[in-house]
Each structure stands twice: as structure tokens, then as C-alpha cells.
């Protein structure tokens, strides 16, 4: 089958991705589904893995963890899905189920967790195997292209929104406005929050306005109002002090990314005192995924995508690196 692999992690300009046709179609093991890929979203984490910001777990891994596909075979012991079902595969691919984090409902923190496109081959390929217990039923009312970004951008954005603890009718600042942010912003607005967007990309600003943001400005512009909550989607550590300074008393900043450049030193008085909170967001639980996918269907979220052909995966990642993707980039199998 055809599959993209990270051959030499490094900047996109150095050609880190390679398209191969030498890998066999995988066999589904016990508890696994064999899924034929229909679409796969292109997430910033794929870029961090391809460029080597995140160390590879195995050589020549296939990235991609926003996979929409069809079950074409099932391994022994699968119970939730059958041949022909449409399923989604997301970032969280497995946990040990026995550690103290799993037992208390925080499976996103499981030290034994494995991830699609990092520990297991992902969706930049014609087929992949997915654990039956970690595959997702998909909501109605979306095309295959629209579904893909819901599976990471959407789910992680939703967890970041929960972690930001926006009070009822409160103000939320969002830094960076790509695939994840444009979905989280819609959920926040549906829940009554007033959303202020801080981003430098002109197309992203237009999208934020179209979706109903109360204000849109550049990343380092002052906030028009004190913020109860904030989410940092841009992987830019220098924004952290600016976002903390924009918080009102008792406000919370959630950092949504898996990777962030260095955070400059913080000033206690300007950035943290008055009980401001700084939080990270790590992966998601299957419960987060289920909640978000249910909300996505109920709220009819508007998913903005930029489609690419399967053969253009390296171009999609290059465009993402250059902030030239509006909404979420999605690969479509030819
Ligand atoms: Zn665990
Ligand atoms: Zn992702």
C-alpha cells in the first residue's frame, strides 16, 4: 500500500517525508480493526513530529491522527464495530487501563498511553489498524472531509476550552486561530461566552469575524476587555506573558499545544498574582471525545477545511508550517 513515512525528521524544506509503496496492508490483531482511510486531517502535531520537535518513537513512522475511514476487517475479540462501519481514529490510541490515572478517569495522563501516528502508524496511508476500544463512532451531518479535523483539532480544542473554565457569560481570549481554535470558539460562543481572537494571519482573522468573534486583533495587541479565560493555540511561548497579563483577577490560561517554544520569565505581580491560573492540556480522554462529537452534531459546528490530495501531504505540512492554511488541512484519498 502507499504510505507517507517520516524518513529524516527535520525542517519541511529538507524533505523529511517520503512516500513509499513498500509497506504491506497491516493485519488486524486481537481487538483491532483494519480501517481503509477515506480522509485524514493534518494537525500541527504531525508537523512537530515530521520536523523533529517531538522525538520520534520509532523510525519511519506514518503520521496522521485525524482519520476517517471504513472498517474492512476485524481482528478477534472486537465488539464495538463491524465491517462496513464508518469510524474515526484519533490521537489517543491506547492506554494500560490499570494505572492510578486510568483508574481515576484521567486516562489522558496514562504513562503507558500510545498515540496514533507516533507509536502506531497513522492515517497518511491507505490503511491502518485501530484498537476497537479506541475507535470513535462519527457524528451525522458532516462530510468525510469535515469529520477529520473534529477528531483532534476539535477534541483537543474542546478539552482546552473545558480546562480554561470560562464562567457563564464570561470573556474568552483565543491566541492562534486555526483548525482547533475555530471549532472551540464556536462551542464557547454557543455556551454564551464572548470570544476575542488574537492572530496575525489575515485569513484567520476573516474566519474569526465570520464565526462571530467579538473582536479580532494581532497576537501582541492589547486586549479590548479583561479576560476571564484564555486559550493559547499558537505554539509560541512568548505569547504566554501577554495572555496572562490580559487575564482578569482569577482568570485561567490553558495552553492547548503538545509543543511550545520557550516561555520567557514571568513577573509574579504582572502575570500570576490575583489568583491567575496557568494550565497545560495533555491529550484527551475518550470521554472528552464522546462529549465533543455529540456537541459537534448538536451545535452543527461549521468546519472550515482546506482539501489536499493524498499525494500532497508534504505540501499540506509545508503550508501549515508557513501559516498558509485556513481552517484545517485535510488529505483526501484519491
Ligand atoms: Zn493508565
Ligand atoms: Zn492533533
Amino acid at each position: 500500500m502507499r504510505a507517507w513515512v517520516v524518513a529524516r525528521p527535520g525542517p519541511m524544506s529538507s524533505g523529511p517525508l517520503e512516500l513509499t509503496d513498500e509497506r504491506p496492508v497491516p493485519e488486524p490483531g486481537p481487538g483491532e480493526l483494519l480501517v481503509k482511510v477515506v480522509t485524514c486531517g493534518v494537525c500541527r502535531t504531525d508537523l512537530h513530529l515530521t520536523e523533529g520537535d517531538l522525538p520520534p518513537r520509532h523510525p519511519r513512522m506514518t503520521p496522521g491522527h485525524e482519520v476517517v475511514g471504513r472498517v474492512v476487517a476485524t481482528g478477534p475479540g472486537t465488539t464495538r464495530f463491524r465491517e462496513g462501519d464508518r469510524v474515526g481514529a484519533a490521537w489517543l490510541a491506547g492506554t494500560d487501563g490499570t494505572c492510578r490515572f486510568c483508574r481515576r478517569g484521567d486516562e489522558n495522563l496514562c504513562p503507558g498511553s500510545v498515540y496514533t501516528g507516533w507509536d502506531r502508524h497513522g492515517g497518511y496511508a491507505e490503511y491502518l489498524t485501530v484498537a476497537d476500544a479506541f475507535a470513535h463512532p462519527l457524528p451525522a451531518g458532516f462530510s468525510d472531509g469535515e469529520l477529520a479535523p473534529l477528531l483532534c483539532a476539535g477534541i483537543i480544542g474542546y478539552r482546552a476550552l473545558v480546562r480554561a473554565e470560562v464562567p457563564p457569560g464570561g470573556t474568552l481570549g483565543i491566541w492562534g486561530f486555526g483548525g482547533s481554535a475555530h471549532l472551540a470558539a464556536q462551542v464557547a460562543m454557543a455556551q454564551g461566552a464572548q470570544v476575542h481572537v488574537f492572530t496575525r494571519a489575515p485569513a484567520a482573522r476573516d474566519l474569526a469575524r465570520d464565526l462571530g468573534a467579538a473582536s479580532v486583533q494581532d497576537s501582541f495587541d492589547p486586549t479590548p476587555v479583561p479576560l476571564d479565560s484564555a486559550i493559547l493555540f499558537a505554539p509560541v511561548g512568548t505569547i504566554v506573558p501577554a495572555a496572562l497579563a490580559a487575564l482578569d483577577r482569577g482568570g485561567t490560561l490553558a495552553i492547548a499545544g503538545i509543543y511550545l517554544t520557550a516561555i520567557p520569565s514571568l513577573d509574579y505581580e504582572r502575570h500570576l498574582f490575583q489568583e491567575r491560573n496557568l494550565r497545560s492540556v495533555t491529550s484527551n480522554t475518550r470521554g472528552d471525545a464522546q462529549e465533543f462529537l455529540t456537541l459537534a452534531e448538536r451545535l452543527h459546528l461549521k468546519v472550515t477545511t482546506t482539501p489536499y490530495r493524498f499525494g500532497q501531504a508534504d505540501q499540506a505540512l509545508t503550508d501549515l508550517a508557513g501559516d498558509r492554511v485556513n481552517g484545517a488541512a485535510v488529505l483526501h484519498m484519491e
Side-chain angles (χ1 to χ4, degrees), residues 19-62:
L19 183 58
T20 167
D21 55 7
E22 284 166 8
R23 188 178 297 157
V25 174
E27 298 266 335
E32 288 182 346
L33 311 168
L34 177 63
V35 174
K36 188 174 199 307
V37 178
V38 178
T39 59
C40 183
V42 176
C43 172
R44 194 164 282 278
T45 300
D46 303 338
L47 185 62
H48 295 315
L49 289 167
T50 304
E51 296 204 310
D53 298 326
L54 293 175
R57 295 267 177 96
H58 303 282
R60 295 180 72 78
M61 285 301 293
T62 295

Side-chain angles (χ1 to χ4, degrees), residues 95-103 107 109-113:
T95 56
D96 58 22
T98 55
C99 74
R100 66 196 191 95
F101 302 101
C102 283
R103 280 183 281 128
E107 68 178 0
L109 300 178
C110 177
S113 55

Side-chain angles (χ1 to χ4, degrees), residues 137-324:
L138 295 169
F142 296 96
S143 70
D144 292 323
E146 290 167 337
L147 283 169
L150 298 181
L151 287 164
C152 174
I155 296 168
I156 301 279
Y158 176 69
R159 185 170 178 92
L161 178 62
V162 172
R163 297 273 296 157
E165 290 190 353
V166 190
T171 51
L172 170 68
I174 291 182
W175 272 263
F177 205 77
S180 200
H182 91 286
L183 298 169
Q186 292 176 67
V187 176
M189 286 186 259
Q191 293 175 344
Q194 188 190 85
V195 174
H196 299 270
V197 172
F198 303 77
T199 186
R200 64 183 174 189
R205 291 190 199 181
D206 291 343
L207 178 59
R209 280 189 203 97
D210 288 350
L211 292 174
S215 77
V216 183
Q217 45 268 302
D218 208 336
S219 308
F220 289 95
D221 283 351
T223 182
V225 294
L227 302 170
D228 296 310
S229 300
I231 306 173
L232 176 55
F233 286 104
V236 183
T238 50
I239 295 176
V240 170
L244 284 169
L247 289 179
D248 206 345
R249 295 170 172 229
T252 298
L253 168 63
I255 299 174
I258 189 171
Y259 171 80
L260 191 71
T261 58
I263 301 176
S265 66
L266 299 175
D267 179 84
Y268 183 64
E269 178 71 30
R270 282 182 60 211
H271 301 128
L272 289 170
F273 192 57
Q274 302 295 356
E275 304 204 342
R276 280 168 288 182
N277 305 295
L278 175 58
R279 299 174 141 193
S280 66
V281 178
T282 299
S283 186
N284 62 274
T285 65
R286 281 170 285 178
D288 295 327
Q290 201 174 12
E291 268 176 45
F292 171 72
L293 293 172
T294 303
L295 273 176
E297 182 171 324
R298 192 169 300 156
L299 301 175
H300 305 293
L301 294 188
K302 191 167 167 277
V303 187
T304 302
T305 67
T306 301
Y308 290 85
R309 284 179 286 110
F310 174 70
Q312 293 177 300
D314 51 351
Q315 186 60 50
L317 283 172
T318 302
D319 290 349
L320 187 62
D323 278 330
R324 289 185 297 274

Side-chain angles (χ1 to χ4, degrees), residues 74-124:
T74 55
T78 52
T79 55
R80 299 175 63 228
F81 297 98
R82 288 191 239 173
E83 245 178 85
D85 284 350
R86 192 166 74 154
V87 292
W91 177 236
L92 187 68
T95 56
D96 58 22
T98 55
C99 74
R100 66 196 191 95
F101 302 101
C102 283
R103 280 183 281 128
R104 74 181 197 206
D106 295 328
E107 68 178 0
N108 61 308
L109 300 178
C110 177
S113 55
V114 290
Y115 299 96
T116 312
W118 197 10
D119 301 282
R120 297 174 64 114
H121 289 305
Y124 289 24

